[in-house]
Amino acid sequence: MTDNTQRPDSGPTDSTPELPTQYTPAEVEGELYERWVEREYFEADAKSDKPPYTIVIPPPNVTGSLHLGHAFQHTLMDALTRRKRMQGYEALWLPGMDHAGIATQNKVEQQLAEEGKSRQDIGREEFVERVWQWKEEYGGRILGQMRRLGDGVDWSRERFTMDEGLSNAVQTIFKKLYDDGLIYRAERIINWCPRCLTAISDIEVDYQDDDGELVSLKYGEGDDTVIVATTRAETMLGDTAVAVHPDDERYRHLVGRRIKLPLTDRTIPVVADAHVDPEFGTGAVKVTPAHDPNDFAIGQRHGLESITVMDERGIITVHGPFQGLDRFEARSAIVGALHEQGRIVAEKRPYVHSVGHCSRCKTTIEPRLSLQWWVKVEPLARAAGDAVRDGRVAIHPKEMEKRYFDWVDNMHDWCISRQLWWGHRIPVWYGPNGEQVCVGPDEQPPTGEGWTQDSDVLDTWFSSGLWPFSTLGWPDRTADLEKFYPTDVLLTGHDIIFFWVARMMMFGLYAMDGVVPFHTIALTGLVRDEFGKKMSKSNPNSVDPLDWMNAYGSDAVRFTLATGANPGADVPIGEDWVKASRNFANKIWNATRFALMNGASVEGPLPSAAQMSATDRWILSRLNLVVAQVDAYYEDFQFAKLSDALYHFAWDEVFDWYVELSKTTFQAGGEPAEASKRVLGEVLDVTLRLLHPVVPFVTETLWTALTGRESVVIAEWPKDSGFRDAAAEAEIAEVRRVVTEVRRFRSDQGLQPGQRVPARLTLDGTLLTPHETAIRQLLRLQPEGEGFHPTATLPVAGAVVALDLSGTIDVAAERKRLTKDLTAAEKEKADTTRKLGNDAFLAKAPEPVVAKIRARLATAEADIARITAQLAALPQG
């Protein structure tokens, strides 16, 4: 394994590569990544004495491809890991994929359908083999795309939820939970998908508003009449009671009596149950225990029969006239039959209501009574809540704790069985005489006539819930498990707190004897388009990040995503922003080329403070402050703030100011130039290392060219040396103020940026005297010369800049324009002053309104001062 201890103070390589005039990401990114992998920079050593830092990747589905959400989270995880590696940690970012039971099975079933076959036609064993073949041929496309993004993961430890080790972990924990009475089999109402033909969990149901119908039906006759309403008329065939509230006087005479169920030859009881809301509708509800979770609970309390009226495909199985009809066909037929009997009291159509759909195939789910396997979650969920409450696990941002507690404190038992063939098969065998045996991974299943294994597989989230420790070798006490567990950070979207985060917390604490699976849960928002709308494949706003990477480079996509990453908040992104990030990469490139062409150096110690100019001391002071800021932002997961700080420091201060101010020093030569070359090299060296975790490719190319060293991936993370120079910062602030004010004046006068103007600078008694040459160069100010006639005088920062604008502007037109602007600003000041002086207005107006008016007043006053100064500076006459 490569020694990852090389640091920037090791010597340069034999030659320093020259940089092309233009940065072309496509020509360097793929080659650089493969070089990193070949040199094993991302491989972690369990035997190392370095402190560990571990992140496990949220395993993408084997059927998946890289989308912007992946790119977003992977960028942040990669940045965290790269920084820790540079800080001297044994950093492990562990990759892998989820077998994605339903999604993957659907893919292979689609293939079979194209061949005119079903999975039943070929049998379970051959079907599972076909899925493995599909996985080898088509699965894992996202892994190659992760390389394209620059994910610094340890490929030597790549895992798959169906590999031998993880399958062993699944069977082990199932057996442990079973033996501890935390897994049981029971008949309950579950969410059933008639398309996927399997149970799905509550959190795999997507609810959306659908157009339906609300039908009010009359049950019973004469004094026994009760009106009930339903959106699922087809389920009435399975009604076994009508329920009313015990205190509802309207129905007290009916409680305990039986009434006729229309369209059938059955009578059903009227029961009193506190669950019924007497204020809703008629105060009476139909009870269908086999097809509604609330009705099932009522049925349990009152000992009602549960009658299943449709099969797993949603086909009606009872009552002759409707038998064989699809559930939606039966709905219309039953309503029609009830009309004929005069049983329809009212119909509302369309009736918009929330309807559950399978998150995989979008089919309307069907609540259905079914015999399934369940996890008893109460003790596990309580432990998961306690771990956050007592501080062993921190949720970031903290305000997301409420969502977490809302879930773990109110969790229902978890249905873990799925009626699929692809997945971890439930390790339970049934005997000919009703025996039930759970088999662990090292145990032999029972044999003999009549013994069969349960045909169901486990919910995909069951195996992915073991991910933080199963991927490190559990249940064996491996070196990886000892070194890298618990993991440090789980970075994931807030939308899967319920799917995945809570499952890992429950299983981690249970399997690892109370040791948490991670110390911090860092929750991100979702990626949206530039207008804040949710991205969807069905909408034209959906973006393939690979298209942007092809056009602008992976660094540009990564930097754009990082700059939008405020903790827990959604991330807007648009192509123009990616272009701007591409421009930033180009700016870094050009500045480094300039530095190399001008002899910037990273060799030897920095000059002493006495040897450096104020400009040098200023940029080093600012550099150390930025190092401290970036470190603080990383520790608080403030990716947007750290990216913004680096962007503005690099572009505004290093490239736009320090490089420009240093040009005159380089031109003059001598010891000051040599000192500035060393400072420029230091600043770029540190800046590139700070930027590397977010934009790894361009920084690797530039840093190795600048330093001649092996790789920035294994370079040392910058430290704040503590160097601060307030005097130098104040001095350069004055220079920047003069240049900025004069540039603004030039722009206001309509001068072109490159247009040279004769000027006299009076800098006596200011901090600006040593900077006259640089100020003149930055402002395109030429010497006074003969015939110099100042027509505009600008007092700025204690200095006076006199400009000769003769022949450069139309003074009369400019005075007229400025006078008009001044009049408008004075009117705005008068209006806002009058409102703020009105006590009645201030007493009634909301504070945000008052604050806005105060801001308008401040802007008007600033405009008046600025325009007045511009008018005074214009030539007279």
Side-chain angles (χ1 to χ4, degrees), residues 67-68 71 73 131 167 183 387 556 677 697 701 757 776 780 783:
H67 56 65
L68 275 173
Q73 292 178 1
V131 181
S167 295
I183 279 184
K677 289 175 184 178
F697 294 108
T701 306
V757 177
R776 283 187 176 277
R780 305 293 191 269

Side-chain angles (χ1 to χ4, degrees), residues 814-824 826 867 871:
E814 188 63 18
R815 188 179 300 281
K816 182 177 180 181
R817 182 184 71 81
L818 290 172
T819 301
K820 182 179 178 182
D821 290 348
L822 180 61
T823 301
E826 288 173 337
I867 297 168
L871 283 167

Side-chain angles (χ1 to χ4, degrees), residues 212-217 230-237 262-263 322 325 327-349:
E213 60 181 346
L214 181 66
V215 183
S216 296
L217 313 175
T230 182
T231 58
R232 300 165 67 218
E234 68 279 7
T235 64
M236 66 156 292
L237 301 176
L263 304 182
F322 311 108
L325 293 180
R327 54 185 167 154
F328 300 119
E329 295 173 334
R331 182 176 299 172
S332 298
I334 287 170
V335 170
L338 291 168
H339 263 299
E340 290 179 6
Q341 291 190 7
R343 294 282 179 178
I344 302 294
V345 176
E347 289 179 273
K348 186 175 182 180
R349 191 185 286 120

Side-chain angles (χ1 to χ4, degrees), residues 600-836:
S601 171
V602 297
E603 297 307 315
L606 284 169
S608 67
Q611 293 172 305
M612 290 189 288
S613 67
T615 306
D616 293 335
R617 298 195 308 276
W618 159 71
I619 198 64
L620 287 177
S621 182
R622 291 291 306 136
L623 176 68
N624 279 284
L625 180 63
V626 167
V627 170
Q629 285 179 331
V630 168
D631 275 335
Y633 288 143
Y634 262 114
E635 296 306 314
D636 199 32
F637 303 99
Q638 297 280 0
F639 295 97
K641 289 183 178 179
L642 72 88
S643 300
D644 188 64
L646 285 170
Y647 175 90
H648 287 291
F649 173 71
W651 192 308
D652 299 347
E653 298 188 270
V654 179
F655 307 149
D656 279 358
W657 286 103
Y658 180 70
V659 168
E660 293 300 318
L661 287 168
S662 298
K663 285 180 179 178
T664 55
T665 307
F666 292 150
Q667 290 166 2
E671 289 185 7
E674 293 306 310
S676 290
K677 289 175 184 178
R678 178 65 188 91
V679 170
L680 178 56
E682 179 76 7
V683 171
L684 285 175
D685 168 18
V686 173
T687 301
L688 291 170
R689 282 186 279 149
L690 289 173
L691 283 165
H692 172 72
V694 179
V695 284
F697 294 108
V698 68
T699 51
E700 170 80 339
T701 306
L702 295 176
W703 190 84
T704 53
L706 176 71
T707 66
R709 299 188 172 98
E710 182 181 340
S711 174
V712 71
V713 176
I714 54 173
E716 185 176 359
W717 181 252
K719 294 183 177 67
D720 174 12
S721 71
F723 178 81
R724 301 286 191 275
D725 193 323
E729 291 199 37
E731 187 170 321
I732 300 306
E734 295 289 76
V735 174
R736 294 175 65 177
R737 183 178 165 198
V738 169
V739 172
T740 301
E741 287 296 320
V742 176
R743 279 177 173 168
R744 182 181 294 120
F745 176 77
R746 287 176 56 109
S747 176
D748 288 341
Q749 304 308 312
L751 297 177
Q752 294 301 312
Q755 188 174 352
R756 294 194 169 273
V757 177
R760 176 189 300 139
L761 304 186
T762 305
L763 308 177
D764 300 342
T766 70
L767 300 174
L768 304 170
T769 305
H771 305 284
E772 179 170 355
T773 302
I775 291 171
R776 283 187 176 277
Q777 187 165 310
L778 288 170
L779 289 172
R780 305 293 191 269
L781 302 179
Q782 59 193 42
E784 303 169 34
E786 291 186 17
F788 176 76
H789 178 66
T791 58
T793 303
L794 300 176
V796 187
V800 178
V801 182
L803 305 170
D804 184 353
L805 303 179
S806 303
T808 60
I809 60 172
D810 182 339
V811 176
E814 188 63 18
R815 188 179 300 281
K816 182 177 180 181
R817 182 184 71 81
L818 290 172
T819 301
K820 182 179 178 182
D821 290 348
L822 180 61
T823 301
E826 288 173 337
K827 181 177 184 301
E828 173 74 351
K829 178 183 177 181
D831 290 346
T832 52
T833 300
R834 184 174 63 255
K835 285 186 177 180
L836 293 172

Side-chain angles (χ1 to χ4, degrees), residues 45-124:
D45 183 0
K47 298 178 182 178
S48 165
D49 58 2
K50 297 177 185 178
Y53 183 81
T54 315
I55 294 181
V56 291
I57 202 166
N61 287 350
V62 67
T63 59
S65 61
L66 190 75
H67 56 65
L68 275 173
H70 289 130
F72 170 52
Q73 292 178 1
H74 287 206
T75 293
L76 305 188
M77 284 183 277
D78 196 29
L80 290 171
T81 311
R82 285 178 182 268
R83 172 175 174 262
K84 285 295 183 180
R85 187 179 293 115
M86 294 171 76
Q87 286 183 313
Y89 287 79
E90 196 62 43
L92 170 60
W93 186 19
L94 196 150
M97 290 187 299
D98 190 280
H99 64 279
I102 296 177
T104 309
Q105 179 157 320
N106 282 348
K107 290 281 187 184
V108 179
E109 288 197 84
Q110 289 167 12
Q111 278 190 343
L112 287 173
E114 292 171 3
E115 300 170 16
K117 300 177 183 177
S118 70
R119 60 181 165 119
Q120 287 78 13
D121 292 334
I122 65 174
R124 183 170 194 144

Side-chain angles (χ1 to χ4, degrees), residues 330-469:
R331 182 176 299 172
S332 298
I334 287 170
V335 170
L338 291 168
H339 263 299
E340 290 179 6
Q341 291 190 7
R343 294 282 179 178
I344 302 294
V345 176
E347 289 179 273
K348 186 175 182 180
R349 191 185 286 120
Y351 178 71
V352 179
H353 62 132
S354 182
V355 177
H357 295 260
C358 173
S359 62
R360 297 294 181 189
C361 69
K362 310 309 176 188
T363 301
T364 301
I365 63 102
E366 191 64 44
R368 188 168 189 262
L369 187 62
S370 182
L371 184 62
Q372 302 284 346
W373 285 94
W374 305 80
V375 172
K376 184 179 180 181
V377 300
E378 192 278 329
L380 303 173
R382 184 174 63 250
D386 290 345
V388 173
R389 288 188 170 95
D390 64 24
R392 283 176 288 155
V393 177
I395 293 181
H396 190 89
K398 190 172 178 62
E399 54 265 27
M400 286 288 179
E401 282 185 0
K402 183 179 184 302
R403 293 187 66 181
Y404 177 81
F405 291 135
D406 284 348
W407 180 252
V408 297
D409 292 347
N410 300 286
M411 195 181 296
H412 300 296
D413 283 2
W414 172 19
C415 177
I416 56 171
S417 45
R418 298 291 181 267
Q419 289 63 55
L420 304 171
W421 287 356
W422 172 244
H424 297 101
R425 194 165 176 181
I426 289 175
V428 173
W429 272 255
Y430 305 109
N433 299 311
E435 302 96 332
Q436 180 174 297
V437 176
C438 180
V439 177
D442 300 321
E443 301 171 346
Q444 291 296 320
T447 57
E449 187 176 349
W451 281 94
T452 58
Q453 185 178 358
D454 195 298
S455 61
D456 289 353
V457 300
L458 289 163
D459 178 8
T460 297
W461 296 103
F462 188 95
S463 52
S464 59
L466 316 181
W467 191 251
F469 52 93

